[in-house]
Amino acid sequence: MDSEFDIDEFTKNLAETHPELVEGLEGTSLMDDFETDEFERKIVDEYPELAEKICELDEKTVKEEQEKKVSKKQQARDRRERLEAMMIEGRSVVEKKDETYHERILEIKGPLELLAKAVKGELRIEVRTRAVDRIDRIFDGIPTTFDEHMNVMMKNVTETVRYGRKAKKEVGARNRVQEYLPEFMRWKEGGNWPMPIGANCLVEHRFQRSCFVKGDSIVFVRTLC
């Protein structure tokens, strides 16, 4: 290795950024008599993908250096730059992979923490949604995931809807459409509506294996168990 290359500084930085690469070498005078063969062997044995990237990059730059006639000092500077580049590129192999969005959202704090606990514990929740001026639907099910906009995915859902006077007049037309739907998707009269219904309103319900509830229509959420 060229005399211009500061191996002490390199190994010190390596021990701080990737301690697993130098683990077990502390007792071999790592900062004084750095054994490149042992270090390279450790990378090849434990991180073969990283070693392959290093070889590919090294072969490419060696060929480029052979085509150019540069001084030894410049070669040393170039080699240091390559080593730094390899350290950055190799992070995708040795560093912990990023968490998924679903994993991150489950650690959220604040009002949405209720939904996070329900997802983790598979607790049933009640979600009420609004029409223009009133609550018209209630979803009772188990949440599977959600986002910061309160969009919620649910499974094993009982959807209950309360129709107003105008919608009640269209029941016959809806029933004709239902003939073409699978049995589990058909609306059935009645349902558990926790608020006063009114004389001119109709309540129906149906079961869904899964559904998506848009966050901008949600006005109330609570756990049921």
Side-chain angles (χ1 to χ4, degrees):
M1 190 172 287
D2 194 277
S3 59
E4 292 293 322
F5 178 71
D6 189 354
I7 190 62
D8 291 339
E9 184 66 19
F10 170 73
T11 51
K12 182 180 179 181
N13 293 336
L14 183 65
E16 292 176 355
T17 58
H18 292 78
E20 68 276 8
L21 293 180
V22 296
E23 184 180 358
L25 299 178
E26 294 84 357
T28 59
S29 304
L30 180 60
M31 300 303 175
D32 300 324
D33 301 315
F34 183 76
E35 296 292 341
T36 56
D37 291 341
E38 188 173 355
F39 175 74
E40 291 171 354
R41 213 178 297 113
K42 186 176 179 68
I43 291 182
V44 171
D45 292 340
E46 297 187 17
Y47 302 98
E49 295 178 2
L50 177 59
E52 186 177 352
K53 288 180 179 292
I54 292 174
C55 291
E56 290 174 358
L57 183 58
D58 216 26
E59 287 175 2
K60 179 181 176 182
T61 51
V62 167
K63 288 179 181 178
E64 291 175 353
E65 283 183 356
Q66 289 174 348
E67 294 174 358
K68 305 176 191 176
K69 291 186 178 179
V70 295
S71 65
K72 289 186 177 181
K73 287 186 178 180
Q74 184 60 43
Q75 288 179 14
R77 286 193 290 267
D78 293 342
R79 180 160 181 78
R80 184 179 183 85
E81 290 177 3
R82 290 200 304 274
L83 287 169
E84 292 174 353
M86 286 186 287
M87 293 294 293
I88 295 171
E89 189 174 352
R91 287 177 184 170
S92 61
V93 179
V94 298
E95 286 186 348
K96 182 181 178 182
K97 299 293 186 294
D98 291 338
E99 293 180 324
T100 63
Y101 179 83
H102 177 72
E103 292 170 336
R104 290 197 304 274
I105 199 70
L106 291 183
E107 303 304 321
I108 196 168
K109 301 297 181 184
L112 291 178
E113 192 173 354
L114 181 146
L115 278 175
K117 289 180 179 178
V119 172
K120 291 177 183 177
E122 293 193 346
L123 307 176
R124 295 193 72 84
I125 64 171
E126 180 186 284
V127 178
R128 302 182 186 181
T129 61
R130 62 176 174 82
V132 177
D133 58 354
R134 61 187 174 83
I135 293 175
D136 72 334
R137 289 176 191 269
I138 296 177
F139 298 85
D140 177 346
I142 301 173
T144 54
T145 190
F146 65 98
D147 65 12
E148 67 270 21
H149 305 294
M150 217 169 180
N151 299 316
V152 183
M153 280 294 301
M154 302 174 67
K155 66 180 181 180
N156 300 332
V157 182
T158 299
E159 178 184 1
T160 307
V161 59
R162 188 191 72 161
Y163 297 108
R165 280 184 299 177
K166 292 182 180 179
K168 187 176 179 181
K169 296 176 182 178
E170 301 169 359
V171 170
R174 287 200 304 274
N175 287 339
R176 286 193 294 273
V177 172
Q178 287 202 109
E179 295 176 1
Y180 301 99
L181 295 177
E183 178 65 28
F184 71 91
M185 291 187 65
R186 295 179 184 177
W187 290 99
K188 299 175 180 61
E189 191 170 346
N192 183 22
W193 191 263
M195 296 168 287
I197 296 175
N200 296 317
C201 295
L202 172 68
V203 173
E204 291 184 337
H205 72 280
R206 68 176 175 179
F207 176 80
Q208 299 185 74
R209 293 189 180 93
S210 63
C211 74
F212 172 81
V213 184
K214 197 144 183 353
D216 58 6
S217 65
I218 293 175
V219 295
F220 179 83
V221 178
R222 67 172 179 143
T223 56
L224 298 175
C225 53

